[in-house]
Each structure stands twice: as structure tokens, then as C-alpha cells.
Amino acid sequence: MKKFAVTLMLFLCNGTLGQEKPRAIQVDEFGGIVCEDLHARVDNFHIQLSNNPMFTGIVVITPGKGSYNKAQFFRNYIERYSQRREVDLTRIKFYKTAEHDSVQGSLWLLPAGAELPIPDLQEWPAKPFDLSKPFIFGSESDI
């Protein structure tokens, strides 16, 4: 009987030590897309975020070679669209990665205690528009 109790105790102790850490959940990813498609993807991201109130939303933008302004546009566009939808922006964080061949983005949910989904991410704070110089709406240099 004593052997059984010791074996049972060892079994129970070993079974509870191997709990996995929570992991980030990828909601969506995109490349060069049109506005309507981006709206739908970000709306889905907002729904997933509202369904999981303890999670943080992570937006990862990868600038393309020579198209940093376009990546900045995606970042600002997602932020402003989230504001318009009255999403709590304290629950969404923006990050960027090293340049790639083209602009890419991904949307993630981050549970409490989970690590960032991609190594070497840099937090990307909002950059206000420079209105001190003229610009042309819709030109490639502004996007």
C-alpha cells in the first residue's frame, strides 16, 4: 500500500509540472490588398479581439524594399480605422519587422503571459503627418 501511495504521488506531481505557456494566435495576414479587403480583415480582427477581452491585439507590418511610406500608410490606416470603429486602442500594439521584398502585414491575438509571435519585433509608435510641405493625394510618394 505504501508503494502505491508513493507511486501515485510521483505520478500526480509529474503530471502537473508540464503546463504549456499560452501562445499568440494569428488571426490573418495580408500583402498588397485593396481597401475593402483590408476593412474586412481588420473588422474580423476587431471581432476576435472583442470576443477575447483578456487578449492584446498585435499588428505586425513588414515594410517592402523601398516602400517604407506604404508600410507607414498601412499602420496609420489600421489605427485610424480602429478609432473610427471605437475600438480601445490601448488593446492594440503596432510592431514592424525587417524589410522584405514587398509590404506584408499580420494580425495577432496575444494572451496574457504569451511571448510576441515573431522574434525581433520593434514597437512602432504613431508618426504624425508632416503638413508643413505640400503633397499630392493619391501619389505613390505619399502611400
Side-chain angles (χ1 to χ4, degrees):
M1 185 68 173
K2 194 174 188 180
K3 283 184 179 180
F4 177 73
V6 170
T7 305
L8 182 63
M9 188 179 290
L10 287 173
F11 177 74
L12 291 175
C13 289
N14 286 338
T16 58
L17 295 178
Q19 198 170 22
E20 285 188 37
K21 281 185 166 183
R23 294 177 149 189
I25 303 163
Q26 186 172 15
V27 175
D28 205 345
E29 63 183 337
F30 56 89
I33 57 175
V34 296
C35 289
E36 293 82 9
D37 194 13
L38 184 60
H39 281 207
R41 291 168 188 260
V42 174
D43 278 338
N44 181 41
F45 177 61
H46 292 155
I47 291 168
Q48 296 292 327
L49 194 58
S50 68
N51 288 342
N52 298 288
M54 300 305 291
F55 288 14
T56 301
I58 302 292
V59 177
V60 179
I61 306 289
T62 304
K65 292 180 181 173
S67 61
Y68 183 82
N69 288 341
K70 194 170 195 175
Q72 182 73 44
F73 169 79
F74 274 126
R75 187 242 178 267
N76 291 339
Y77 190 83
I78 293 170
E79 181 180 39
R80 288 190 178 93
Y81 187 68
S82 299
Q83 284 175 331
R84 230 175 309 147
R85 292 286 190 188
E86 297 180 0
V87 174
D88 182 9
L89 287 179
T90 61
R91 295 189 58 210
I92 299 176
K93 296 193 183 298
F94 293 88
Y95 293 92
K96 63 181 172 180
T97 62
E99 284 187 351
H100 196 264
D101 291 337
S102 61
V103 176
Q104 299 174 351
S106 55
L107 307 170
W108 298 79
L109 295 178
L110 192 68
E115 294 182 11
L116 289 173
I118 302 169
D120 301 328
L121 290 177
Q122 299 174 347
E123 195 160 350
W124 198 354
K127 176 183 171 189
F129 283 117
D130 180 14
L131 300 177
S132 63
K133 60 181 181 175
F135 55 91
I136 301 171
F137 287 103
S139 71
E140 185 64 32
S141 64
D142 292 330
I143 297 179

